[in-house]
């Protein structure tokens, strides 16, 4: 089937790939100056933001380095030799989309997490969280103390009504507006991060035995939540370029009468980092409206995107209250507060009722502290610094994979965020890598944590949240050696070599 413009990656990705190949083939050599933003705009008849995205994508991939006030220059080819990781086949037959197989993953994931927790971990490349020093702890402490002085009774006062403080609601509604989303302040409900938000959303829209469409691969916490609520997860292939496959969703809806909801992470999907193009978002919202499916949007990583214009959430396309929108500040503001919020669309009242029944939560101090922090001018500066630090850490990590992992390793470099999704060469196993690395004090997240289909045994997620120190680099050397040793032991690999 000929590719239509709908199947093609966004324009900036197409041009970034064009230049990546030119660098890989030597048409643009190390040290050479890249065309400037203006030259790219003229040469390819593209907008300023597309030209900037091309350069920033290539920079994030380690193909280019920016020299302040001079321009972008081609890096040494080490990092460029990595091919893109393989996407799952979007036309996967529905017989393979078997919801019944989704039992037991909760136990396996818990086991991996527990093993990691009990081990003596020196370098944690397993959790997608920025290092503590990348947060603005001093500002948080200042705001937190000021609030306690201003409201000395805040921690001892009971609250007769459940829910969310109006100051927090107003601040979140304003931020949503900046992102292109209209939410009335009274329809903002505070949550304990996105874990609670997504759990509440699932409880509101589905009951025991119902089917929930999730991306494949997906965040393991979602697979746990689905199973813990006696629901069945149906994995829908998700591409590292465009996100969830609408084609496979169409098939799923025909075959699964108990399908009730679709859960997606549209910006910097976990684990492969896709950013869903706007056209895809519009089609997905439309699809869910047509089939009366709840669309649960986990928008935890939007602010990590290295993009001149952060994209609009799916909620911006929602005219029917079909999208349940979930935001968390756990990874951008303060993991210690676990503050998030949600808007439940047409399920909002039910979600509010469920929240009261389950937790009655009203942590006023945390809500006011979050609102004050994110509304201060310093917050945008903090976010810029955080993105910048993570960009550098990602670049160093990509270069380390290119340098120390065996030939045949592939990865799709994300346009921001906290982690890399790496495909190891045939013959390698990420479950074995997890065990062997943990014995040496290095924690990684093996691919099978992110799916119950057994398709990701050769994938591993490595976090870029730690500053790239000599110890982190040494951990990459060790991981590369462990993978190489697996290949050396695999007779098929020896024959192939
Ligand atoms: C996609 C995704 N959703 C939700 C969470 C958890 O969110 P929170 O920490 O806000 O509960 C994570 C954490 O890693 C995640 O990657």
């Amino acid at each position: 089937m000929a590719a239509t413009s709908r199947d093609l990656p966004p324009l900036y990705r197409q041009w970034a790939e064009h230049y990546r190949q030119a660098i890989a083939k030597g048409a643009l050599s190390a040290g050479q100056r890249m065309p400037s933003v203006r030259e790219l705009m003229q040469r390819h008849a593209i907008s300023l933001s597309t030209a900037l995205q091309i350069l920033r994508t290539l920079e994030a991939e380690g193909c280019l380095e920016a020299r302040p006030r001079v321009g972008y220059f081609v890096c040494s080819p080490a990092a460029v030799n990595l091919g893109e990781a393989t996407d799952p086949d979007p036309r996967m037959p529905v017989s393979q989309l078997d919801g019944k197989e989704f039992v037991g993953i909760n136990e396996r994931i818990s086991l991996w997490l527990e093993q990691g927790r009990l081990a003596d971990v020196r370098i944690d490349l397993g959790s997608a969280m920025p290092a503590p020093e990348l947060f603005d702890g001093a500002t948080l402490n200042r705001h937190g103390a000021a609030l306690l002085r201003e409201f000395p009774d805040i921690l001892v006062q009971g609250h007769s009504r459940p829910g969310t403080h109006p100051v927090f609601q107003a601040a979140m509604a304003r931020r949503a507006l900046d992102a292109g989303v209209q939410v009335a302040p009274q329809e903002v409900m505070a949550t304990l991060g996105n874990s609670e938000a997504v759990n509440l959303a699932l409880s509101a829209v589905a009951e025991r035995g119902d089917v929930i469409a999730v991306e494949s691969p997906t965040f393991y916490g979602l697979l746990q939540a689905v199973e813990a609520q006696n629901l069945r997860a149906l994995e829908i292939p998700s591409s590292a370029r465009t996100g969830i496959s609408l084609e496979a969703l169409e098939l799923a809806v025909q075959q699964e009468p108990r399908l009730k909801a679709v859960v997606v992470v549209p910006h910097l999907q976990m684990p492969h980092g896709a950013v869903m193009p706007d056209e895809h978002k519009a089609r997905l919202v439309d699809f869910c409206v047509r089939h009366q499916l709840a669309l649960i949007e986990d928008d935890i990583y939007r602010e990590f995107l290295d993009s001149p214009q952060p994209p609009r959430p799916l909620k911006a396309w929602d005219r029917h209250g079909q999208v349940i929108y979930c935001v968390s500040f756990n990874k951008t503001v303060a993991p210690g507060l676990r503050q998030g919020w949600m808007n439940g669309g047409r399920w909002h009242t039910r979600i509010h009722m469920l929240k009261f029944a389950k937790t009655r939560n009203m942590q006023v101090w945390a809500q006011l502290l979050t609102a004050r922090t994110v509304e201060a001018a310093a917050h945008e500066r903090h976010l810029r610094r955080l993105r910048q630090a993570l960009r550098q850490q990602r670049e160093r990590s990509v270069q380390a994979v290119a340098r120390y992992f065996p030939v045949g390793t592939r990865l799709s470099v994300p346009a921001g965020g906290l982690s890399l999704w790496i495909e190891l060469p045939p013959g390698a196993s990420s479950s074995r890598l997890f065990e062997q690395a943990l014995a040496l004090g290095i924690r990684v997240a093996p691919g099978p944590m992110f799916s119950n289909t057994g398709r990701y045994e050769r994938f591993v997620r490595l976090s870029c949240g730690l500053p790239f120190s000599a110890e982190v680099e040494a951990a990459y050397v060790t991981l590369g050696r462990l993978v190489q040793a697996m290949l050396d032991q695999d007779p098929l690999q020896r024959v192939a070599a």
Side-chain angles (χ1 to χ4, degrees), residues 309-357:
Q309 294 154 349
R312 284 178 300 158
L314 288 162
K315 186 74 184 161
W317 278 265
D318 185 21
R319 303 281 168 269
H320 300 86
Q322 207 69 22
V323 178
I324 301 179
Y325 185 52
C326 311
V327 177
S328 172
F329 297 106
N330 219 5
K331 294 174 194 250
T332 49
V333 176
L337 290 177
R338 292 206 55 71
Q339 191 63 61
W341 68 272
M342 71 190 295
N343 170 270
R346 60 192 180 81
W347 294 271
H348 196 71
T349 309
R350 179 166 168 72
I351 287 173
H352 200 259
M353 180 272 286
L354 286 169
K355 164 95 176 159
F356 185 61

XYZ file of all heavy atoms in Angstrom, residues 309-357:
405
model
N 7.531 25.445 20.140
C 6.109 25.630 20.445
C 5.586 24.321 21.014
O 5.325 23.395 20.242
C 5.317 25.947 19.184
C 5.666 27.270 18.572
C 5.383 27.280 17.083
O 5.106 26.258 16.462
N 5.459 28.447 16.507
N 5.435 24.220 22.326
C 4.931 22.944 22.873
C 3.587 22.603 22.242
O 2.751 23.488 22.040
C 4.782 23.230 24.372
C 5.524 24.481 24.623
C 5.622 25.234 23.340
N 3.383 21.345 21.868
C 2.151 20.975 21.160
C 0.925 21.030 22.071
O 1.058 21.033 23.298
C 2.427 19.542 20.730
C 3.465 19.045 21.662
C 4.255 20.207 22.131
N -0.244 21.071 21.453
C -1.485 21.100 22.240
C -1.878 19.684 22.648
O -1.754 18.749 21.862
C -2.621 21.708 21.404
C -2.520 23.214 21.297
C -3.604 23.772 20.441
N -3.547 23.234 19.089
C -4.565 23.192 18.245
N -5.751 23.642 18.617
N -4.425 22.704 17.040
N -2.396 19.542 23.870
C -2.865 18.215 24.301
C -4.069 17.762 23.483
O -4.750 18.589 22.852
C -3.275 18.443 25.762
C -2.656 19.742 26.164
C -2.493 20.555 24.920
N -4.369 16.472 23.514
C -5.574 15.930 22.864
C -6.821 16.659 23.357
O -7.783 16.860 22.621
C -5.740 14.453 23.232
C -4.764 13.459 22.608
C -4.776 12.162 23.395
C -5.124 13.196 21.165
N -6.781 17.049 24.630
C -7.936 17.709 25.250
C -8.334 18.969 24.472
O -9.510 19.367 24.498
C -7.576 18.055 26.698
C -8.701 18.624 27.515
C -9.699 17.552 27.887
C -10.891 18.115 28.633
N -12.048 17.197 28.611
N -7.377 19.587 23.769
C -7.682 20.803 23.009
C -8.639 20.505 21.851
O -9.281 21.402 21.320
C -6.384 21.419 22.481
N -8.719 19.232 21.429
C -9.612 18.868 20.316
C -10.971 18.360 20.816
O -11.823 17.999 20.034
C -8.971 17.773 19.454
C -7.990 18.294 18.446
C -8.244 18.598 17.138
C -6.600 18.567 18.647
N -7.101 19.069 16.526
C -6.078 19.051 17.437
C -5.748 18.475 19.746
C -4.742 19.421 17.280
C -4.421 18.848 19.590
C -3.932 19.308 18.376
N -11.114 18.314 22.138
C -12.280 17.642 22.727
C -13.486 18.588 22.793
O -13.458 19.566 23.530
C -11.892 17.178 24.148
C -12.984 16.373 24.811
O -13.842 15.836 24.086
O -12.954 16.277 26.054
N -14.512 18.281 22.029
C -15.732 19.114 22.059
C -16.871 18.403 22.785
O -17.949 18.934 22.924
C -16.210 19.436 20.626
C -15.199 20.125 19.766
C -15.116 21.624 20.078
N -13.942 22.205 19.448
C -12.733 22.298 20.044
N -12.566 21.883 21.281
N -11.703 22.820 19.414
N -16.666 17.153 23.191
C -17.771 16.360 23.744
C -17.489 15.815 25.138
O -18.190 14.919 25.607
C -18.092 15.173 22.808
C -18.494 15.605 21.436
N -17.588 15.862 20.431
C -19.710 15.868 20.922
C -18.228 16.242 19.346
N -19.508 16.252 19.615
N -16.454 16.310 25.781
C -16.118 15.796 27.114
C -15.642 14.355 27.084
O -15.744 13.625 28.071
N -15.075 13.927 25.898
C -14.672 12.532 25.738
C -13.275 12.263 26.303
O -12.910 11.130 26.539
C -14.712 12.184 24.236
C -14.960 10.737 23.917
C -16.381 10.323 24.264
O -17.290 11.159 24.353
N -16.586 9.044 24.490
N -12.507 13.354 26.482
C -11.115 13.186 26.918
C -11.003 13.429 28.429
O -11.474 14.449 28.940
C -10.178 14.171 26.177
C -8.738 14.018 26.671
C -10.254 13.953 24.671
N -10.400 12.484 29.110
C -10.082 12.653 30.530
C -8.613 13.068 30.584
O -7.742 12.309 30.156
C -10.314 11.350 31.318
C -11.787 10.931 31.178
C -9.915 11.527 32.768
C -12.140 9.637 31.897
N -8.381 14.276 31.045
C -7.054 14.876 30.915
C -6.311 14.808 32.253
O -6.834 15.256 33.276
C -7.229 16.335 30.455
C -5.942 17.047 30.173
C -4.995 16.494 29.335
C -5.668 18.295 30.739
C -3.802 17.150 29.063
C -4.482 18.962 30.477
C -3.558 18.384 29.646
O -2.382 19.031 29.384
N -5.093 14.267 32.244
C -4.344 14.057 33.494
C -2.949 14.699 33.405
O -2.205 14.436 32.461
C -4.147 12.571 33.758
S -5.650 11.590 33.605
N -2.620 15.516 34.396
C -1.332 16.227 34.425
C -0.644 15.939 35.758
O -1.304 15.866 36.789
C -1.574 17.758 34.307
C -0.252 18.519 34.417
C -2.275 18.113 33.011
N 0.684 15.808 35.702
C 1.431 15.562 36.950
C 2.629 16.503 37.039
O 3.274 16.791 36.033
C 1.926 14.120 36.966
O 2.798 13.921 38.053
N 2.933 16.964 38.261
C 4.128 17.788 38.486
C 5.231 16.988 39.181
O 6.208 17.555 39.645
C 3.766 19.011 39.342
C 2.787 19.915 38.666
C 1.467 19.957 39.071
C 3.175 20.707 37.598
C 0.552 20.777 38.438
C 2.269 21.530 36.952
C 0.952 21.566 37.365
N 5.024 15.692 39.222
C 5.937 14.838 39.954
C 7.357 14.876 39.394
O 8.325 14.776 40.136
C 5.411 13.400 39.832
C 5.569 12.654 41.115
O 5.972 13.226 42.107
N 5.259 11.381 41.071
N 7.469 15.020 38.075
C 8.799 14.956 37.457
C 9.317 16.333 37.062
O 10.452 16.455 36.634
C 8.757 14.039 36.231
C 8.476 12.595 36.625
C 8.284 11.708 35.414
C 7.673 10.394 35.807
N 8.602 9.272 35.684
N 8.471 17.350 37.180
C 8.942 18.694 36.808
C 9.099 19.601 38.017
O 9.911 20.523 37.997
C 7.959 19.384 35.838
O 6.637 19.257 36.379
C 8.037 18.813 34.452
N 8.293 19.392 39.066
C 8.333 20.317 40.208
C 8.898 19.642 41.461
O 9.915 20.088 41.997
C 6.929 20.905 40.496
C 6.967 21.788 41.741
C 6.439 21.714 39.300
N 8.238 18.586 41.937
C 8.667 18.011 43.209
C 8.129 16.593 43.375
O 6.947 16.420 43.661
C 8.149 18.882 44.356
N 8.999 15.580 43.221
C 8.540 14.204 43.439
C 7.993 14.015 44.851
O 7.107 13.198 45.075
C 9.799 13.356 43.232
C 10.797 14.250 42.614
C 10.408 15.664 42.840
N 8.480 14.822 45.794
C 8.049 14.679 47.185
C 6.631 15.163 47.439
O 6.055 14.856 48.473
N 6.081 15.950 46.532
C 4.706 16.444 46.729
C 3.674 15.531 46.073
O 2.518 15.517 46.477
C 4.544 17.854 46.127
C 5.250 18.999 46.836
C 5.031 20.301 46.066
C 4.721 19.143 48.256
N 4.080 14.843 45.020
C 3.173 13.971 44.237
C 1.904 14.712 43.834
O 0.797 14.185 43.927
C 2.808 12.695 45.012
C 3.973 11.739 45.206
C 3.550 10.302 45.387
N 2.708 9.792 44.326
C 3.118 9.523 43.087
N 4.369 9.692 42.758
N 2.271 9.073 42.193
N 2.071 15.957 43.388
C 0.889 16.739 43.037
C 0.557 16.606 41.555
O 1.444 16.679 40.708
C 1.145 18.219 43.363
C -0.096 19.086 43.280
C -1.140 18.662 44.313
O -0.876 18.698 45.507
N -2.306 18.231 43.863
N -0.708 16.399 41.273
C -1.186 16.380 39.900
C -2.597 16.911 39.862
O -3.124 17.365 40.897
N -3.203 16.884 38.693
C -4.623 17.262 38.616
C -5.240 16.605 37.388
O -4.531 16.146 36.494
C -4.818 18.773 38.592
C -4.340 19.497 37.356
C -3.091 19.986 37.144
C -5.109 19.838 36.186
N -3.023 20.608 35.920
C -4.256 20.533 35.307
C -6.431 19.616 35.792
C -4.670 21.017 34.061
C -6.841 20.096 34.555
C -5.959 20.783 33.707
N -6.552 16.570 37.396
C -7.235 15.988 36.239
C -8.543 16.712 35.968
O -9.110 17.357 36.846
C -7.496 14.495 36.455
C -8.550 14.180 37.485
S -8.597 12.399 37.894
C -9.118 11.686 36.351
N -8.966 16.590 34.721
C -10.325 16.987 34.351
C -10.973 15.750 33.747
O -10.458 15.176 32.783
C -10.304 18.139 33.347
C -11.695 18.377 32.791
O -12.069 17.789 31.784
N -12.483 19.183 33.461
N -12.101 15.353 34.306
C -12.691 14.063 33.918
C -13.665 14.128 32.757
O -14.401 13.152 32.544
N -13.693 15.259 32.040
C -14.621 15.350 30.909
C -16.038 15.039 31.363
O -16.466 15.486 32.432
N -16.755 14.212 30.582
C -18.148 13.960 30.983
C -18.268 12.968 32.132
O -19.340 12.707 32.646
C -19.002 13.550 29.794
C -18.610 12.320 29.040
C -19.433 12.305 27.750
N -19.153 11.172 26.913
C -19.670 9.967 27.096
N -20.468 9.736 28.100
N -19.366 8.988 26.265
N -17.117 12.450 32.582
C -17.120 11.560 33.753
C -16.682 12.318 35.019
O -16.433 11.714 36.050
C -16.185 10.371 33.521
C -16.645 9.450 32.434
C -17.473 8.371 32.575
C -16.318 9.517 31.041
N -17.677 7.771 31.358
C -16.975 8.450 30.395
C -15.533 10.376 30.271
C -16.873 8.222 29.024
C -15.433 10.154 28.899
C -16.102 9.088 28.292
N -16.561 13.646 34.929
C -15.924 14.387 36.028
C -16.652 14.207 37.366
O -16.023 13.991 38.397
C -15.816 15.873 35.676
C -14.860 16.599 36.571
N -13.492 16.427 36.512
C -15.077 17.457 37.601
C -12.907 17.155 37.442
N -13.851 17.792 38.121
N -17.980 14.278 37.341
C -18.724 14.175 38.603
C -18.510 12.805 39.239
O -18.289 12.684 40.450
C -20.233 14.385 38.329
O -20.357 15.587 37.581
C -21.033 14.491 39.600
N -18.539 11.783 38.390
C -18.327 10.420 38.912
C -16.907 10.278 39.474
O -16.705 9.662 40.531
C -18.582 9.409 37.779
C -18.380 7.984 38.193
C -18.951 6.978 37.205
N -18.471 5.653 37.517
C -18.848 4.921 38.552
N -19.741 5.393 39.392
N -18.343 3.718 38.769
N -15.950 10.841 38.771
C -14.556 10.755 39.237
C -14.424 11.465 40.586
O -13.758 10.980 41.509
C -13.599 11.344 38.167
C -13.506 10.368 36.987
C -12.225 11.623 38.750
C -12.742 10.884 35.789
N -15.075 12.593 40.710
C -15.043 13.359 41.953
C -15.611 12.516 43.100
O -15.040 12.453 44.198
C -15.882 14.628 41.743
C -15.561 15.700 42.722
N -16.339 15.955 43.813
C -14.530 16.569 42.774
C -15.808 16.943 44.499
N -14.714 17.339 43.889
N -16.713 11.842 42.812
C -17.346 10.982 43.816
C -16.399 9.832 44.211
O -16.215 9.530 45.384
C -18.665 10.455 43.222
C -19.478 9.546 44.101
S -18.995 7.827 43.915
C -19.680 7.418 42.324
N -15.757 9.227 43.187
C -14.843 8.115 43.462
C -13.655 8.577 44.304
O -13.210 7.886 45.217
C -14.326 7.521 42.141
C -15.327 6.673 41.359
C -14.798 6.377 39.964
C -15.593 5.355 42.099
N -13.167 9.743 43.975
C -12.021 10.290 44.708
C -12.387 10.470 46.183
O -11.619 10.115 47.081
C -11.633 11.625 44.067
C -10.750 12.506 44.891
C -9.301 12.329 44.542
C -8.458 13.323 45.331
N -7.091 12.922 45.427
N -13.571 11.003 46.430
C -13.993 11.210 47.818
C -14.139 9.871 48.525
O -13.703 9.697 49.659
C -15.303 12.000 47.854
C -15.721 12.354 49.261
C -14.890 13.144 50.050
C -16.907 11.890 49.790
C -15.252 13.463 51.354
C -17.267 12.199 51.100
C -16.438 12.994 51.885
N -14.729 8.905 47.805
C -14.935 7.587 48.417
C -13.599 6.913 48.737
O -13.457 6.232 49.742
C -15.749 6.712 47.467
